[in-house]
Amino acid sequence: MDYKNILTTCVYCGTGCGLNLQVLDGRIVGVLPAAEHPLSQGRLCVKGWNAASFVYSPDRLTVPLIRRDGRLVEATWDEALTLVAQKLLRIRDESGPHALGVLTSAKCTNEENYLLQKLARAVLKTNNVDHCARLCHAPTVAGLAAAFGSGAMTNSIPEFESDTACFLIIGSNTSEAHPLIASRILKARERGARLIVIDPRETQMARLADLYLAQRPGSDVAVLNGLMQVIMEEELWDKEYVAGRTEGFDAMKAVVSGYTPERVEQLSGVPADMLRQAARMYATHKPAAIIYTMGITQHTTGTDNVKSCANLAMLTGNVGVPGGGVNPLRGQNNVQGACDVGALPNVYTGYQAVTLPAVREKFEHAWGVTGLDPHVGLTVTEMIAAAGEGKIRALYIMAENPLVSDPDLNHARQCLNDVEFLVVQDIFLTETAQLADVVLPGASFVEKDGTFTGTDRRIQRVRQAIPPLGQSKPDWQIICELARKMGALDGASGGASGGASGGASGGVSGGVSGFDFASPAEVMDEIAAVTPIYGGVHYDRLDRLGFLQWPCPTAEHSGTPYLHKERFSRGMGLFHPVEYIAPAEMADDEYPFVLTTGRSMFHWHTGSMTRRSTRLDQEVPTAYVEMHPQDAARIGLDGNRWVRIRSRRGEIQVAVRLTRRIRPGVVFMPFHFAETAANVLTHAALDPIAKIPEFKVCAVQVEAVSTEECHE
């Protein structure tokens, strides 16, 4: 009998909890929390306890599939990769690189995301590279980078428990989406820290708060401006900090001065007196931390919402101090890391702009190529739409499921049906994979090595516990093999062959290799060589220290617990004047309810993993909609427990739960359930800067249906 524990990092939310995989005779038999882990401290949430329970699902993909005569049939790896290489190169040569699109994945490791964006740029020569950060925290990257110079969580999770005096949680259902972070906040409450929650739903954190402000969905800018108006009106702002460390204050003040509590009450529904109380509490208890998630990012004004959070934090001198800052909690295990290593259309790894000639020259030299694309590529939402218009002829999707995660799913499905060539690399035959021309079976997190970067910029190891199941392969190996099929040379990753040009000639300097890596550790060495914020990150250090937080520029640097200590990354912090703009689609006589979406404690993202965990799925096996009892009476629910919800884009039928947690006029649905997908209803209107859809507000009709009608 051979038993061992393998320390790794949880695959679910971005907290980055440590867990031990229990392996008996080569098979995972359980999960245990890591007692000494700096974040989870011997605890796990319900998803963490079940983090490996999907691994042996009978639905696992274990062999490549190719579509023949309309059906997906088994194929060899050589057949599948040869077909993918030939098709992508042919389309590139016929229509140019802009006819190709690549989606990387926040579920995959830093090394895999780096390699896939490198393949897209160095081999396929396209910047049409993006991932699901576009659908959750793209406004964070854009908004915080504009205000501070860095688009990441400013502080560290342990600081919440030890240092923070006041928490302002806005648009975050923390106890369900990030339970172990919520537990630290509640421990801070035990020592006297204050808690303000701003959310359209009365979440568990709202019930435990000192102050709970229930705003109308989409009115966040008005509320945040109102808080700042009170703070300035009552002289509670940090004048020395603003004068010494920021710029743009007067322009911001000129806008904010018009958001009196009485006006904000009209715009948001938050009582003026409660707004004043919240402003005083936040301004007078320092350090104060702002915490948010998709409740403020998934709007057409998502970037404005983030900039407003930055304004409020700078106004009160709460950036660059332990326990303070602006803290977006990432919803996926490696969404921060995927952004860091260049899985975005406008930047290479380390947020180095593709439009800057010196940056392109750097990467051409490092990768041994020429002719890197100088133009910003398309985002996820733009690529899907372009596929429907025939502008994108081929899509390569790694471990993403747009047919559950994207807005206006009927339109998204039509676009993916219309694309000429679709490749999906995943561990399950997801709704998106079912449409693919080629399906490549990847390995789960327990079957490969690598790193994840958590929400507080904490880079940690992922360790292989068992061999890949069947013929599946780690995603980094698949990418490297595909690149070589396309003509990338060992030692240099340049131009493709297959009838096209030969590979790039010559080696590359500094020991940077092409796609001939022997391990993810070698990939991280290349990442460190070309990514200043990861410059000191190597596996030997991670294994010795447990983690490193970027920026970690050199092998002697110990990492950075909190950002902007003495100066902002951009020099001076920049205030932005932000006016309230209403959501793109408001309730009206025809569609009188507002739908908003979110997470369940027991599920994650598109449900492809959690819904294949028996223990998690039995807790919440089906979708539901929350509705206030007043609204149930309004539509004549009359004892029925099913409703039909219709938007201007589609309709679904779903079970209803009556609750006073939600405002009258608002209904809420979790988005994890493909068969009753909330995103059939949601609006594809985009934030003009971050290009994120407005998942959190759309107008719907709700009508009662009998159980018999629902199952007809």
Side-chain angles (χ1 to χ4, degrees), residues 38-339:
L39 293 179
S40 46
Q41 299 177 314
R43 297 170 297 159
L44 292 172
C45 76
V46 66
K47 289 193 290 290
W49 279 107
N50 292 279
S53 58
F54 64 86
V55 170
Y56 296 109
S57 166
D59 296 339
R60 278 293 301 273
L61 289 168
T62 58
V63 65
L65 305 174
I66 291 176
R67 188 171 298 279
R68 293 191 173 107
D69 298 323
R71 295 176 56 248
L72 287 170
V73 298
E74 293 186 0
T76 67
W77 272 106
D78 185 66
E79 288 174 321
L81 292 177
T82 298
L83 176 60
V84 172
Q86 290 175 346
K87 285 278 193 178
L88 294 182
L89 293 177
R90 180 175 61 79
I91 290 171
R92 185 200 65 178
D93 293 344
E94 289 176 356
S95 299
H98 300 302
L100 305 171
V102 175
L103 301 188
T104 75
S105 176
K107 301 182 187 70
C108 293
T109 64
N110 287 316
E111 295 78 5
E112 290 161 343
N113 279 280
Y114 173 80
L115 286 172
L116 189 52
Q117 65 86 33
K118 178 181 175 181
L119 182 147
R121 289 173 161 129
V123 179
L124 298 177
K125 298 300 178 70
T126 182
N127 285 326
N128 292 340
V129 179
D130 206 6
H131 73 294
C132 68
R134 188 66 48 196
L135 307 177
C136 58
H137 274 287
T140 289
V141 178
L144 293 187
F148 302 155
S150 174
M153 180 172 171
T154 60
N155 289 66
S156 296
I157 293 167
E159 294 171 24
F160 294 159
E161 185 176 344
S162 59
D163 299 308
T164 305
C166 181
F167 299 91
L168 193 159
I169 299 177
I170 179 167
S172 168
N173 185 3
T174 318
S175 61
E176 292 201 50
H178 300 89
L180 268 67
I181 295 178
S183 72
R184 288 186 179 268
I185 295 171
L186 297 179
K187 285 186 177 181
R189 294 274 285 133
E190 293 174 0
R191 62 167 169 77
R194 302 300 181 89
L195 175 60
I196 305 161
V197 174
I198 305 173
D199 201 286
R201 293 173 73 220
E202 189 181 13
T203 62
Q204 182 185 50
M205 299 302 284
R207 291 196 292 272
L208 298 172
D210 294 284
L211 288 171
Y212 167 48
L213 282 57
Q215 86 279 35
R216 295 189 186 102
S219 63
D220 306 280
V221 163
V223 174
L224 292 164
N225 279 351
L227 293 173
M228 288 186 280
Q229 194 276 342
V230 172
I231 289 168
M232 288 188 286
E233 179 73 20
E234 299 187 4
E235 300 289 328
L236 299 176
W237 54 294
D238 192 329
K239 300 179 181 63
E240 181 179 350
Y241 184 97
V242 169
R245 295 203 53 187
T246 71
E247 58 187 350
F249 172 75
D250 290 338
M252 182 275 294
K253 181 180 179 182
V255 168
V256 166
S257 62
Y259 287 82
T260 64
E262 288 72 24
R263 182 187 175 205
V264 171
E265 181 172 354
Q266 293 177 345
L267 293 172
S268 71
V270 173
D273 287 345
M274 291 191 69
L275 190 77
R276 291 188 176 93
Q277 291 178 53
R280 294 164 186 155
M281 185 176 291
Y282 174 80
T284 58
H285 292 81
K286 297 178 69 172
I290 297 173
I291 293 172
Y292 71 82
T293 58
M294 297 185 294
I296 68 165
T297 58
Q298 289 182 328
H299 294 271
T300 50
T301 56
T303 304
D304 284 349
N305 291 342
V306 173
K307 289 177 178 177
S308 294
C309 289
N311 287 344
L312 177 59
M314 289 189 292
L315 181 67
T316 51
N318 274 307
V319 186
V321 296
V326 181
N327 300 284
L329 305 183
R330 301 290 193 159
Q332 294 201 48
N333 53 307
N334 200 38
V335 71
Q336 181 65 58
C339 293

